[in-house]
């Protein structure tokens, strides 16, 4: 079943645009010149059983646009208090004056029949503080306003706010125009291909405007383009894009260091699994699906909203919110799998899963040698990974020298990729952690080992 089900046709109604109290924003001017060297991602969180669900505004940062660090311990940095008191589909826009506006769907949870004519809005100078929180009314129809995105339309001297709403019996993309995100014009039909359509996302390349969206009838992504930004001007130019399962929430960002564009997409089966494509030619409409080895999404993240940021902004965000106190550990040759404990056995399982906290580890100084590391469970914090008969298991520290030795490992350059990590046993120094039949153990590994064994013994320590 699609995550968002088609609502019944809405009745026609006069549109009255309203706004809550908020300080006036600066009028659009010339965007501040900046060299971007990082990225910020806005998202909300869910997990397969909804154990990780949180409908506040979450932020993560990245230096390469592929591997992400959740901020504030993956807790929200702002929480809606109006409307449904929850958000989905957050989006960050850098305005013409260099500051930011954050907007999001007004929906807490998964009641797709919930009707709201409003969007959550925050202003932010630096993504460290969020001010002027309010609701922006965009229509008066008996339907929703899903997955807003915005862009600056220079020909109008206004920002366009595009979102999905039901009209004529199916979701279409609608648009309102605003200068301050406090009041907005009456809505117009922006794009209607004749079938259920949501999640419009925009990028301009070499003077051409591109919009990618989700075909909500078959859960694929499609690309359109236009020489203008006028409503009704976009026409399709790609075939359907899919990772082999239902996908939605396209979001495109350019690499800050290469002539490469990345497109992210979100799935719900399993819930909260991102895919990432790349292209060096957006105009071609041809995208290559990346291997999971190339990227790591924030824990439990849903519906990404990405924006480039400066080196100073990246540094300041980490200084404000901090890195996670835990790590996740990804397999090299099964990069969709992460190290976890299950029934006290260490193994690698496909992300996402619940309890999601089973994959969170605190890498503490080695119990037998502080130059090494020991793996302490986050959700069972009195227990560590140790080897017993060469198999890795989760056990409580019994205080013995043997336990400390069995639970201590040295980080070395990864056998399969030196930018990754391998872990050498403290008391069996010819043995390294590797997976076998998805379970972890320590086995002899050396430069003479087979390619498969070297890959089995290689991991990425990240978030």
């Amino acid at each position: 079943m699609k995550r968002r089900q088609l609502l019944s046709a809405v009745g026609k109604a006069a549109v009255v645009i309203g706004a809550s109290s908020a300080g006036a924003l600066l009028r659009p001017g010339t965007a501040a010149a900046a060299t971007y060297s990082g990225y910020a991602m806005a998202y909300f969180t869910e997990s397969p059983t909804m154990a990780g669900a949180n409908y506040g505004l979450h932020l993560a940062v990245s230096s390469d646009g592929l591997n992400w660090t959740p901020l504030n311990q993956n807790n929200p940095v702002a929480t809606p208090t109006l409307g449904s008191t929850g958000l989905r589909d957050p989006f960050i826009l850098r305005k013409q004056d260099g500051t930011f506006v954050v907007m999001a769907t007004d929906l807490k949870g998964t009641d797709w029949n919930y009707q709201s004519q409003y969007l959550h809005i925050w202003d932010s100078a630096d993504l460290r503080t969020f001010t002027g929180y309010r609701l922006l009314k965009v229509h008066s129809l008996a339907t929703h306003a899903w997955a807003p995105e915005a862009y600056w339309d220079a020909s109008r001297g206004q920002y366009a706010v595009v979102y999905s709403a039901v009209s004529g019996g199916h979701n279409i993309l609608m648009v309102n125009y605003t200068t301050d995100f406090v009041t907005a014009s009456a809505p117009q039909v922006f794009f209607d291909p004749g079938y259920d359509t949501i999640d419009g996302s925009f990028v301009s390349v070499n003077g051409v405007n591109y919009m990618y969206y989700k075909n909500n009838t078959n859960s694929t992504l499609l690309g359109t383009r236009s020489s203008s930004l006028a409503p009704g001007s976009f026409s399709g130019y790609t075939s359907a894009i899919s990772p082999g399962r239902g996908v939605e929430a396209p979001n495109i960002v350019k690499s800050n260091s290469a002539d490469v564009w990345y497109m992210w997409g979100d799935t719900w089966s399993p819930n909260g699994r991102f895919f990432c494509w790349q292209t060096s030619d957006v105009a071609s409409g041809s995208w290559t699906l990346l291997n999971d080895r190339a990227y790591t999404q924030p824990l439990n993240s849903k519906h990404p909203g990405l924006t480039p940021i400066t080196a100073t902004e990246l540094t300041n965000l980490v200084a404000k919110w901090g890195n996670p106190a835990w790590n996740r550990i990804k397999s090299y040759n099964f990069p969709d799998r992460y190290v976890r404990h299950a029934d006290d056995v260490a193994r690698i399982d496909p992300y996402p899963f619940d309890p999601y906290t089973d994959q969170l580890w605190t890498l503490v100084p080695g119990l037998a040698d502080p130059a090494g590391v020991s793996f302490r469970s986050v959700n069972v914090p009195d227990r560590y990974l140790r080897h017993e008969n060469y198999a890795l298991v989760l056990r409580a520290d019994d205080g013995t020298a043997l336990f400390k030795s069995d639970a201590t490992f040295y980080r070395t350059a990864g056998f399969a990729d030196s930018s990754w990590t391998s872990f050498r046993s403290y008391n069996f120094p010819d043995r390294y952690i590797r997976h076998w039949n998805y379970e972890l153990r320590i086995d002899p590994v050396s430069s003479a080992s087979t390619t498969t064994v070297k890959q089995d013994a290689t991991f990425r320590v990240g978030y």
Side-chain angles (χ1 to χ4, degrees), residues 36 49-50 55 99 109 123 125 150 177 202 294 297 328 338 352 374 422:
Y36 299 125
T49 68
M50 295 299 185
Y55 300 100
T99 66
D123 304 312
Y177 294 95
F202 298 85
Q297 71 182 84
R328 294 193 293 155
Y338 287 77
S374 293
S422 293

Side-chain angles (χ1 to χ4, degrees), residues 141-401:
L141 305 175
T143 182
H144 47 251
W146 279 348
E149 287 211 13
Y151 59 82
W152 172 248
D153 189 332
S155 66
R156 294 174 179 265
Q158 293 178 301
Y159 297 97
V161 179
V162 179
Y163 53 91
S164 304
V166 174
S167 178
H170 61 272
N171 275 290
I172 63 172
L173 296 180
M174 302 184 75
V175 63
N176 302 67
Y177 294 95
T178 182
T179 58
D180 55 13
F181 296 92
V182 175
T183 60
S185 69
Q188 304 175 46
V189 175
F190 187 82
F191 180 74
D192 180 5
Y195 53 79
D196 209 52
T197 302
I198 63 174
D199 296 348
S201 185
F202 298 85
V203 67
S204 293
V205 183
N206 297 326
V208 179
N209 305 299
Y210 297 89
M211 180 186 73
Y212 278 70
Y213 68 94
K214 177 193 178 186
N215 177 343
N216 206 31
T217 68
N218 62 13
S219 298
T220 61
L221 306 181
L222 289 165
T224 64
R225 59 189 172 192
S226 170
S227 59
S228 76
L229 290 167
S233 67
F234 283 80
S235 57
Y237 81 107
T238 72
S239 56
I241 300 168
S242 170
R245 65 186 79 181
V247 65
E248 59 192 4
N251 198 261
I252 300 175
V253 65
K254 187 183 184 300
S255 167
N256 289 327
S257 58
D259 191 21
V260 173
W261 296 80
Y262 300 113
M263 180 168 68
W264 294 78
D266 187 14
T267 72
W268 62 95
S269 180
N271 193 28
R273 168 75 153 86
F274 286 3
F275 289 92
C276 187
W277 294 260
Q278 76 172 32
T279 186
S280 58
D281 184 11
V282 176
S284 73
S286 177
W287 295 84
T288 300
L289 184 64
L290 293 180
N291 185 285
D292 289 85
R293 194 179 296 159
Y295 63 95
T296 303
Q297 71 182 84
L299 177 66
N300 296 332
S301 51
K302 291 284 297 175
H303 201 113
L306 287 75
T307 191
I309 56 177
T310 67
T312 298
E313 288 168 338
L314 176 59
T315 298
N316 290 343
L317 282 168
V318 174
K320 165 72 173 180
W321 301 110
N323 288 326
W326 39 262
N327 290 103
R328 294 193 293 155
I329 303 169
K330 174 188 287 190
S331 165
Y332 178 84
N333 52 349
F334 290 89
D336 63 329
R337 292 175 179 257
Y338 287 77
V339 173
R340 68 173 295 185
H341 63 84
D343 298 323
D344 293 333
V345 174
R347 55 179 294 113
I348 56 171
D349 277 350
Y351 174 87
F353 51 78
D354 276 319
Y356 68 88
T357 47
D358 287 354
Q359 68 194 291
L360 306 185
W361 303 95
T362 306
L363 274 61
V364 300
L367 299 181
D369 180 355
V373 297
S374 293
F375 300 91
R376 185 173 67 201
S377 167
V378 165
N379 58 347
V380 194
D382 65 334
R383 299 191 178 196
Y384 298 79
L385 289 184
R386 70 172 294 185
H387 59 80
E388 290 180 353
N389 296 322
Y390 305 130
L392 261 64
V393 293
L394 194 68
R395 295 287 187 265
D397 184 358
D398 62 12
T400 65

Side-chain angles (χ1 to χ4, degrees), residues 3 32 42 45-46 57 102 123 133 255 429:
R3 179 169 69 85
T45 61
E46 288 180 343
L57 174 65
V102 180
D123 304 312
Y133 170 63
S255 167

